[in-house]
Amino acid sequence: MEALGVGRNLWHRGAPWHHQRQGHWLLLVLLLGASALALATLALGPVAMAPDRVIAALLGHGTPIETAIIWHLRLPRLLLGIAVGVSLALAGAALQGVLRNPLADPGLIGVSGGASLGAVAVIVLSGRIGIALPAALQSWLLPAAAFLGAGVVIGIVFTLARRHGETSVATLILAGVAMNAITGAAIGALIYVSDDDQLRDFTFWTMGALGGADWPLVLVVIGLTTLSAPVLISQARALDLLQLGERAAFHAGLGVEQAKRCTALATAIAVGAVTSAAGPIGFIGLVAPHLVRLIQGPRHGILLPASMLMGVCLALAADLVVRLVVPPAEPPLGLATSLVGGPFFLWLLLKDRGGRPGGGDHA
């Protein structure tokens, strides 16, 4: 079984807790943290509300202003933030398991780039595309395009990486780098032909934010997240077996290529959905699984649900920071996650400078 350089060394680094009971305690702590952040998201803002008033507004017993703030502004934003955290963290944890490298995230193999290309195409070409669609389908156009872009890219990179019946991890990563360059060039071409209004919409979208959440789009994103999340969590045993190497996993009875295709499809749905609604938000898919792995270890039965809750905590905490740091102005959410995630990623690399660089290949 090959060495995977920095990522492999980090993967096997010991965690302080190994018992199943402690894993359940971690899930409980993260659930309580996510619940507290959800309540804070509903209560805090330019118009602060006490928790009892939040509950009254949710039940329809608040004042008209309170009810409007909760139901039309903060609740859609909260649900989108939950979807972002769940989708990106689960996709990151699943891809790290498939690639056997905990430094991977959905952007590494071009998934985020493909989703961004699909969404930007709708932003720039919506006047030509959306006009031909019934009104009931127009809310699906952006997430559908983002999913299609993510699905096409992930299909291409997995096809290119497949050789002799197995998927080469090193080739998968290199193909992802190439696809990121291609999708970046295509996005640049769309920007070149866009008008001023489209360019402004694109600029704000690329920074990542939850402030544009509205019910039609949020319901679509929640639906796609609800579809993809159980699929990714169900791959826990397959991802555990893949850590032994693909040949060992195959001899243990795992349908290796089927597990990879299932993970790839669910990842494309998850990342495409949230990218279309919130824009490209980096590093949650990297940081959340890695924090859980440092605490709990690499077993995916706990890692996947704990990463999901950790992702929700990170997304909601970052959104609270950008909402409260310089009110009433609101810096983009993507800037906040990148300011934290970028140094965290560099810290991971510097922490293991003694490891051999490289991504490795299939076992």
Side-chain angles (χ1 to χ4, degrees), residues 309-320:
L309 293 172
M310 181 70 78
V312 172
C313 290
L314 292 176
L316 296 184
D319 186 50
L320 276 174

Side-chain angles (χ1 to χ4, degrees), residues 8 20 49 59 62 80 85 88 103 117 124 133 162 172 192 210 215 221 227 234-235 289 295 329 348 356 361:
R8 176 71 98 186
Q20 193 76 10
M49 299 172 61
L59 297 176
L80 180 57
L88 294 182
L103 298 184
L117 176 57
V124 175
L133 291 176
R162 184 177 173 82
L172 190 72
Y192 183 77
L210 304 181
W215 279 112
V221 173
L227 175 66
S234 71
Q235 297 301 305
I295 297 170
L348 290 179
R356 182 166 64 86
D361 208 323

Side-chain angles (χ1 to χ4, degrees), residues 79-175:
L79 293 177
L80 180 57
I82 291 173
V84 166
V86 168
S87 295
L88 294 182
L90 277 179
L95 287 176
Q96 289 167 12
V98 170
L99 299 179
R100 303 192 295 283
N101 190 329
L103 298 184
D105 77 341
L108 180 68
I109 61 172
V111 182
S112 297
S116 297
L117 176 57
V120 171
V122 170
I123 292 173
V124 175
L125 305 175
S126 58
R128 303 172 187 176
I129 300 174
I131 195 171
L133 291 176
L137 296 179
Q138 291 186 9
S139 61
W140 288 84
L141 182 59
L142 196 62
F147 162 66
L148 180 62
V152 168
V153 167
I154 205 168
I156 291 174
V157 297
F158 269 87
T159 300
L160 292 175
R162 184 177 173 82
R163 59 187 186 189
H164 307 303
E166 295 183 349
T167 301
S168 165
V169 175
T171 306
L172 190 72
I173 295 173
L174 293 174

Side-chain angles (χ1 to χ4, degrees), residues 158 162 165-167 246 254-262:
F158 269 87
R162 184 177 173 82
E166 295 183 349
T167 301
E246 293 186 12
L254 176 67
V256 173
E257 296 305 318
Q258 180 181 0
K260 288 181 179 180
R261 286 193 296 268
C262 183

Side-chain angles (χ1 to χ4, degrees), residues 269-297:
I269 295 174
V271 175
V274 298
T275 300
S276 68
I281 297 175
F283 291 105
I284 289 179
L286 167 70
V287 174
H290 198 84
L291 287 176
V292 174
R293 192 176 290 110
L294 289 175
I295 297 170
Q296 179 59 37

Side-chain angles (χ1 to χ4, degrees), residues 3 7 103 135 159 182 188 196 202 210 229 241 298 300 302 307 309 318 322-324 346 354:
L103 298 184
T159 300
I182 293 171
D196 290 342
F202 168 77
L210 304 181
L241 289 175
H300 288 85
I302 294 295
S307 296
L309 293 172
V322 300
R323 288 169 56 193
L324 302 177
L346 291 175

